[in-house]
Amino acid sequence: EGKQFKICGTNYPTSICFIVVNEFCERFSYYGMKAVLTLYFVSYLGWDPDLSTAVYHAFSGLCYFTPILGALIADSWLGKFKTIIYLSVVYVIGHVVKSVGAIPTVGNKEMHIALSMLGLILIAFGTGGIKPCVAAFGGDQFDEENVSERQKFFSIFYMSINAGSLLSTVITPILRGDVQCFGGDCYALAFGVPAALMVVALVVFIAGCGLYKRNPPQGNILLEVCRCIGFAIKNRWKSSKYDPKRKHWLDWAEEKYSKRLIQEIKMVLRVLVLYIPLPMFWALFDQQGSRWTLQARRMNLSFVRVCLHKVKMLNALLILVFVPIFDLLIYPLVGLCRINITPLRKMVTGMIFAALAFGAATLVEVQVVKTVVEPAPAGNCLLQVFNLADGDISVKTPGNNLFPEPIGYLQDPPKYETLPLEGSSKEVKIQVTFKGSTSECTQMFIEETAYSLFFYSTTAGIECVLVSAEDTITKDENGSPLLRFFNTQPEAINLTVGQESFHVPGDYSVSPNQTVPRSEYPDVSCISQSEECSDLNLGLLDFGASYTVILTNESDTIVPHKMEDVQANNVHIAWQIPQYVLLTAGEVMFSITGLEFSYSQAPANMKSVLQAGWLLTVAFGNVIVLIVAEGAGLEQWKEFALFAGLLLGVSIIFSFMAYFYTYVDPDQLDKIYQKDSGKEEDDKKQKTDDIQMNNKGKETRM
């Protein structure tokens, strides 16, 4: 055991400096990696949003199931110090494997997926395994008489968690997006920096090894609790109806276990029963990193390009602001109104705030989806019509009138119309009337596809062309605008938009859709063999929009006409701030209070049991998201509304459970059983004396 040194004459051991720095680096490592994880799944591995959400929450859930394993290893086998060292090594290996999996030149896509999944599993065992050990190991460094210093240490420890989270959620997304490597976003670097920080965390922790106070493993109280419960159930099952009744089913363990242990387990079980509704809160809370990130990508990110990541860091920043505000201002003010603020009431209020956050997310999502073009259902396709004839045209489709109003020259179609096909494909005859003359346009359409149909006039009359490439109606994953050009001229035209080159074949042909950065484009380079093709002004190409630019010849000059196929993201990212504020306020009232409640209601030797139970509520919360995201198949706004409604319902149930809960004082239990144990010792001593007297009597008679 290391020699204890104090910091500058205080009662704080020097060893806690190493532990706090270790926790800061470890949390930076963990949250930094998670900050870009959903985008990595969608953009790099090419997974759809539902699968990405499912894997993200499966990983988060595993990180909160593994603390039980870490607690078992530390308490009954290796002790906290060695457990932290060994599982940190596993943690580092996981980060390295994950980083290697993000290097495009290492193997194929299957190799990237395999390495990523292996890395995530190792990280989950590492972070989960050390989670219940580091804080408790920090608490072990204090002497019993330094209780207030120990409490302040946990506050400092909590702040280091949020500071690490805050910095990492700013830095790693910048490393991913602003640094380019291997010809794209640098996920290898975004995962590599957290890996390096985890190495630093391990080195810092080992550096303090000569100063640590190490308590040897005492045997696992969790195993003892499980054995006692198992024995009580078994004994109760074997009992006959003639056996005397007992007040509580746990009392059937009295034959083998002490009354004190049984009473402590009763206290813990009453709290664990209260935990049953709590996973629903975490199901909502953890969607900040998945569903809310995907929502943000379909919003307007103007003014600050990294705004997406700045909004994501709001939670950690608001925690640092809200904790002192709630403790020093809000709770005392509520107390002045003679309202009894019990921990369980705070938790119920926190749940309601989280439900309101998802109500706000639902309202935002309803506005966001207005700019999204829904794919055509089976047996239908989507169609928009462009008029390049110099005058109005009237378009009629068989069986219905999709275009009741005349279509003006170079009019931007307001939206895609749904064209029924009554099968997987169909040849459709479309009538078009131009200047009193009606002609037919016959085209083959395939179901669940989006099309653009162009009408133009020739000396022979109106002609039509259905572009060879189907339209891209899905918004780009990163919110970048999509751009294509339609060339009405006989010769091909080459254009350069920013860094992207477009080759547009001649004679009413279209170039493939390409993403370009969101920006103003006043001078797009244009090259044509025979016609005047000076720089073109495309104006603003905005977030999430899809554009078709029609190139026409006007006065022997190429002129662009920009059409918006899919609307730009017109809901600003700032509209996500209220939902983050509400959710963080809920977290302060729910999460921090829940931790305090768990500690205050648990006997000293049972605190680890309740911590394991508390962490399990987070794990089961992620399981709920998995079930809803994969199983329900709802529209996103309906899914948000469902979660808000479920949490409101759960908060009502929890309110009833809290109403019937009686708060206990574990210290009072200590006093009672100290007296009882003293009495038991006297009884045992008396019995021993009686036996010895009997034995002496027997010896005398013999």
Side-chain angles (χ1 to χ4, degrees):
E1 187 173 304
K3 187 180 176 183
Q4 287 275 287
F5 292 97
K6 305 291 184 182
I7 301 172
C8 303
T10 67
N11 288 322
Y12 290 93
T14 310
S15 54
I16 65 164
C17 298
F18 295 92
I19 294 167
V20 169
V21 173
N22 164 271
E23 182 66 11
F24 169 82
C25 294
E26 188 273 327
R27 290 289 88 186
F28 184 106
S29 162
Y30 176 73
Y31 285 111
M33 182 272 300
K34 276 187 80 176
V36 294
L37 194 57
T38 305
L39 296 180
Y40 170 76
F41 290 151
V42 174
S43 303
Y44 186 84
L45 297 182
W47 290 351
D48 66 71
D50 280 347
L51 178 60
S52 302
T53 300
V55 176
Y56 178 92
H57 287 288
F59 166 69
S60 297
L62 187 59
C63 289
Y64 285 93
F65 278 116
T66 49
I68 294 172
L69 185 65
L72 282 169
I73 294 170
D75 287 350
S76 57
W77 181 26
L78 293 175
K80 297 185 190 76
F81 177 75
K82 287 184 179 177
T83 303
I84 293 167
I85 296 286
Y86 295 157
L87 288 179
S88 292
V89 172
V90 172
Y91 202 162
V92 169
I93 294 169
H95 267 304
V96 171
V97 171
K98 184 86 187 67
S99 304
V100 171
I103 300 173
T105 53
V106 177
N108 54 16
K109 184 180 175 182
E110 285 71 27
M111 175 67 81
H112 297 154
I113 292 172
L115 288 172
S116 297
M117 292 306 101
L118 176 61
L120 286 177
I121 289 167
L122 291 173
I123 289 168
F125 276 96
T127 186
I130 67 175
K131 198 185 290 284
C133 302
V134 178
F137 188 65
D140 288 348
Q141 304 309 304
F142 292 85
D143 298 325
E144 284 302 317
E145 60 269 19
N146 300 328
V147 177
S148 62
E149 285 84 357
R150 182 185 291 170
Q151 288 171 346
K152 285 174 185 171
F153 159 73
F154 282 114
S155 297
I156 297 164
F157 188 81
Y158 188 79
M159 297 293 271
S160 73
I161 291 171
N162 282 281
S165 167
L166 181 64
L167 278 174
S168 65
T169 48
V170 177
I171 293 169
T172 50
I174 292 172
L175 293 175
R176 175 196 71 86
D178 293 4
V179 179
Q180 297 289 301
C181 60
F182 305 106
D185 287 348
C186 206
Y187 284 102
L189 182 64
F191 291 137
V193 169
L197 261 290
M198 193 55 224
V199 173
V200 172
L202 179 57
V203 170
V204 166
F205 188 74
I206 293 171
C209 67
L211 301 170
Y212 297 134
K213 179 180 176 183
R214 302 182 209 175
N215 295 334
Q218 299 291 321
N220 200 304
I221 190 68
L222 187 59
L223 288 178
E224 189 72 4
V225 168
C226 293
R227 287 194 189 112
C228 182
I229 292 171
F231 182 79
I233 294 169
K234 184 180 172 185
N235 210 15
R236 173 73 182 85
W237 185 258
K238 285 182 176 178
S239 67
S240 72
K241 61 182 180 180
Y242 302 110
D243 288 333
K245 301 293 181 190
R246 305 193 186 186
K247 285 184 179 179
H248 193 280
W249 62 270
L250 265 172
D251 292 336
W252 289 94
E254 284 179 350
E255 282 84 349
K256 188 174 178 181
Y257 294 92
S258 70
K259 285 185 178 179
R260 173 168 185 155
L261 178 66
I262 292 167
Q263 190 60 34
E264 287 171 340
I265 294 172
K266 285 179 187 175
M267 290 165 61
V268 169
L269 287 180
R270 287 172 68 239
V271 178
L272 290 178
V273 167
L274 272 181
Y275 282 171
I276 291 170
L278 303 189
M280 186 52 70
F281 175 89
W282 298 114
L284 276 70
F285 180 79
D286 273 351
Q287 289 188 58
Q288 291 177 94
S290 56
R291 291 303 202 202
W292 285 13
T293 301
L294 297 173
Q295 183 189 63
R297 283 176 20 180
R298 290 179 286 124
M299 299 177 76
N300 192 311
L301 305 172
S302 57
F303 305 131
V304 187
R305 186 62 188 94
V306 292
C307 193
L308 170 60
H309 313 301
K310 291 197 171 178
V311 170
K312 281 176 67 179
M313 80 177 191
L314 261 179
N315 176 248
L317 181 63
L318 287 170
I319 279 284
L320 298 177
V321 175
F322 279 9
V323 170
I325 288 175
F326 272 79
D327 284 343
L328 303 175
L329 189 65
I330 294 175
Y331 293 150
L333 283 175
V334 175
L336 287 174
C337 299
R338 296 182 181 177
I339 297 171
N340 185 16
I341 320 169
T342 63
L344 293 177
R345 283 180 181 174
K346 286 184 193 175
M347 291 172 72
V348 170
T349 311
M351 293 167 92
I352 292 168
F353 267 78
L356 291 174
F358 266 69
T362 304
L363 295 175
V364 170
E365 187 66 24
V366 166
Q367 296 304 313
V368 166
V369 295
K370 287 181 180 176
T371 68
V372 174
V373 178
E374 293 296 330
N380 296 267
C381 71
L382 297 180
L383 178 65
Q384 65 174 354
V385 170
F386 292 95
N387 175 17
L388 308 183
D390 192 10
D392 290 356
I393 62 171
S394 295
V395 176
K396 286 188 177 179
T397 51
N400 55 65
N401 194 4
L402 294 183
F403 308 99
E405 301 295 324
I407 299 169
Y409 172 61
L410 289 175
Q411 177 183 317
D412 192 347
K415 64 186 178 73
Y416 282 91
E417 303 290 347
T418 303
L419 179 66
L421 301 179
E422 300 159 1
S424 59
S425 62
K426 186 180 181 181
E427 193 173 72
V428 179
K429 291 182 180 179
I430 298 171
Q431 287 187 339
V432 57
T433 304
F434 176 63
K435 294 182 178 177
S437 175
T438 301
S439 57
E440 276 192 349
C441 166
T442 303
Q443 298 288 348
M444 177 64 74
F445 295 95
I446 298 169
E447 66 174 351
E448 299 178 19
T449 307
Y451 293 99
S452 290
L453 183 62
F454 293 82
F455 290 98
Y456 59 95
S457 58
T458 64
T459 51
I462 286 285
E463 298 286 335
C464 69
V465 57
L466 194 70
V467 296
S468 55
E470 64 181 70
D471 292 10
T472 304
I473 57 170
T474 307
K475 288 179 180 282
D476 178 66
E477 295 162 352
N478 296 313
S480 300
L482 283 157
L483 180 64
R484 64 178 179 175
F485 292 91
F486 184 83
N487 186 9
T488 62
Q489 302 311 296
E491 291 182 347
I493 298 174
N494 293 308
L495 303 113
T496 305
V497 183
Q499 303 295 317
E500 301 296 326
S501 298
F502 291 79
H503 174 73
V504 197
D507 200 18
Y508 298 97
S509 296
V510 69
S511 66
N513 262 308
Q514 289 177 239
T515 57
V516 293
R518 186 259 188 191
S519 184
E520 292 273 356
Y521 291 95
D523 49 2
V524 170
S525 169
C526 174
I527 300 170
S528 176
Q529 287 183 351
S530 61
E531 295 172 276
E532 181 69 29
C533 192
S534 57
D535 288 351
L536 307 179
N537 181 8
L538 300 186
L540 174 66
L541 301 183
D542 211 350
F543 290 111
S546 290
Y547 297 99
T548 298
V549 176
I550 300 168
L551 304 174
T552 61
N553 185 328
E554 297 176 17
S555 305
D556 294 328
T557 303
I558 299 294
V559 177
H561 301 274
K562 185 173 69 177
M563 308 291 171
E564 195 176 48
D565 301 338
V566 177
Q567 285 184 51
N569 301 341
N570 56 19
V571 182
H572 197 273
I573 190 74
W575 284 106
Q576 270 202 335
I577 294 172
Q579 65 203 55
Y580 274 93
V581 169
L582 287 166
L583 191 66
T584 307
E587 182 194 359
V588 170
M589 287 183 277
F590 180 88
S591 180
I592 299 172
T593 310
L595 282 169
E596 292 169 357
F597 174 77
S598 302
Y599 270 89
S600 69
Q601 297 299 290
N605 61 340
M606 294 281 185
K607 295 192 188 298
S608 61
V609 177
L610 274 186
Q611 284 309 298
W614 177 259
L615 293 171
L616 273 178
T617 65
V618 184
F620 283 115
N622 283 281
V623 171
I624 292 170
V625 183
L626 282 177
I627 293 165
V628 175
E630 288 296 294
L634 295 171
E635 290 178 59
Q636 191 56 69
W637 72 268
K638 290 179 181 175
E639 188 180 293
F640 284 157
L642 173 66
F643 274 115
L646 284 173
L647 187 57
L648 273 179
V650 165
S651 66
I652 292 168
I653 294 167
F654 185 67
S655 299
F656 279 108
M657 295 171 72
Y659 180 77
F660 292 105
Y661 181 83
T662 307
Y663 290 86
V664 296
D665 182 2
D667 294 337
Q668 203 63 33
L669 191 74
D670 287 340
K671 290 171 187 173
I672 293 167
Y673 280 99
Q674 274 169 5
K675 289 176 186 175
D676 287 354
S677 61
K679 190 180 174 186
E680 282 173 17
E681 286 297 320
D682 290 342
D683 290 345
K684 282 181 186 175
K685 190 172 182 300
Q686 186 62 47
K687 283 180 184 176
T688 307
D689 291 344
D690 290 345
I691 291 166
Q692 286 173 351
M693 288 293 290
N694 285 337
N695 288 339
K696 281 180 183 177
K698 283 179 186 176
E699 286 168 11
T700 306
R701 285 195 294 273
M702 287 173 73

